[in-house]
Amino acid sequence: MVVFAGQGDARRSMSLLWRTEQPAQRRSGPGPGPRPGLSADAIVTAAIAVADEDGMAALSMRAVGERLGRTAMALYTYVPSKSELLDLMYDAVHAELPTRYNGIDNWRTGLTDWAHDTLAFLLRHPWVLQVSQARPVLGPHEYTGLDTLVRLLNGTGLDASLRRRLVGTLTHFVRGCAGTVAEARQAAAVTGESDEEWWFARSALLGEVAPDFADRYPSLSAMESEGTPQQPPSAPGEEAMPYLEREARETFAVGLDVMLDGIEAAIRRMGTP
């Protein structure tokens, strides 16, 4: 499921994101008007809780209203539609991302910490991964996160054009790994079949339907025959981790090191300190 941000009224959405729109006044007496205790921030917080607990598919103005003990209609005074609500949710959760790192003196340490923090953030809010990057929200917290990454990359001394592309490379890499982990966690619940059951049923049939597998895919078979790197001892509770999640986390660790090695090589080529 992919959703696109920025589908609501542009001026209203941007005004809410940047808090230039005056909040609805609280009702002080009888008569029509907003009910006490309700605000755009309260609605956004409730909507994030719905998405965190039940996924993006469960998000609706009605579900958010029920969580707040209100009707869906009561929310529209503060947030005009679900489209604007999605923009506000996406930007609000990005406020969780750290903004201070030691990357000024050690860019590699800073980028490593940034990548791990961003992975953890995305796994706390996996619905964020369903918001397409094709239409950015353009909110203040989203920009703060982007500015933090750029500041860390500034420590490499690389030219601006290369740093610009590294922002995209690092972001897509972390999001890709996070997406695999998030899907691995959901797979058993959605399909009703564990990883072990799924792999056993299909891998057992592979030799039957493709007896010439090694001849058809020689490079892949040769790599697999060399064996996989020895894994470190499992941490407590890690035994229950889905197979693909373990693989994705290992890919994340190895891939991040290789990418940072590449940045170091680019620094050496340019002769920067």
Side-chain angles (χ1 to χ4, degrees), residues 39-114:
S39 66
D41 287 340
I43 293 167
V44 170
T45 298
I48 291 170
V50 170
D52 284 348
E53 294 176 13
D54 302 317
M56 184 69 81
L59 181 67
S60 68
M61 298 297 275
R62 178 179 179 181
V64 176
E66 289 176 351
R67 194 174 189 92
L68 292 166
R70 303 287 201 272
T71 64
M73 290 301 296
L75 309 186
Y76 293 119
T77 299
Y78 306 88
V79 180
S81 75
K82 181 181 173 182
S83 294
E84 288 86 358
L85 178 59
L86 176 64
D87 293 352
L88 293 170
M89 292 167 58
Y90 184 89
D91 193 63
V93 292
H94 279 76
E96 295 179 13
L97 288 169
T99 59
R100 295 183 179 275
Y101 290 97
N102 296 321
I104 299 300
D105 299 321
N106 189 329
W107 63 264
R108 183 163 187 140
T109 297
L111 287 175
T112 299
D113 291 343
W114 170 87

Side-chain angles (χ1 to χ4, degrees), residues 79-264:
V79 180
S81 75
K82 181 181 173 182
S83 294
E84 288 86 358
L85 178 59
L86 176 64
D87 293 352
L88 293 170
M89 292 167 58
Y90 184 89
D91 193 63
V93 292
H94 279 76
E96 295 179 13
L97 288 169
T99 59
R100 295 183 179 275
Y101 290 97
N102 296 321
I104 299 300
D105 299 321
N106 189 329
W107 63 264
R108 183 163 187 140
T109 297
L111 287 175
T112 299
D113 291 343
W114 170 87
H116 283 276
D117 286 341
T118 304
L119 179 68
F121 160 75
L122 292 169
L123 294 179
R124 286 196 304 273
H125 306 290
W127 56 270
V128 169
L129 294 163
Q130 295 175 262
V131 180
S132 173
Q133 297 292 283
R135 300 284 175 87
V137 170
L138 305 180
H141 298 304
E142 183 181 35
Y143 273 119
T144 296
L146 183 62
D147 191 71
T148 298
L149 178 54
V150 172
R151 189 170 69 250
L152 290 169
L153 285 167
N154 286 347
T156 65
L158 296 170
D159 63 71
S161 61
L162 183 52
R163 281 182 280 126
R164 184 184 184 91
R165 299 310 170 200
L166 288 172
V167 167
T169 300
L170 288 164
T171 299
H172 290 309
F173 170 73
V174 177
R175 284 179 63 93
C177 291
T180 301
V181 173
E183 290 169 9
R185 291 178 176 182
Q186 298 167 4
V190 172
T191 65
E193 190 176 27
S194 70
D195 283 352
E196 290 74 16
E197 292 169 334
W198 190 93
W199 282 107
F200 180 79
R202 283 153 183 79
S203 62
L205 292 170
L206 194 56
E208 176 183 327
V209 299
D212 58 344
F213 185 92
D215 294 330
R216 293 172 67 178
Y217 311 106
S219 297
L220 175 61
S221 298
M223 182 181 70
E224 292 298 320
S225 68
E226 293 175 10
T228 56
Q230 186 174 359
Q231 300 294 324
S234 298
E238 196 176 50
E239 295 81 0
M241 185 181 292
Y243 166 76
L244 283 181
E245 177 171 349
R246 291 198 305 272
E247 289 292 299
R249 287 184 178 275
E250 182 66 20
T251 296
F252 173 79
V254 172
L256 181 60
D257 276 344
V258 171
M259 291 176 69
L260 298 182
D261 287 346
I263 293 176
E264 287 189 348

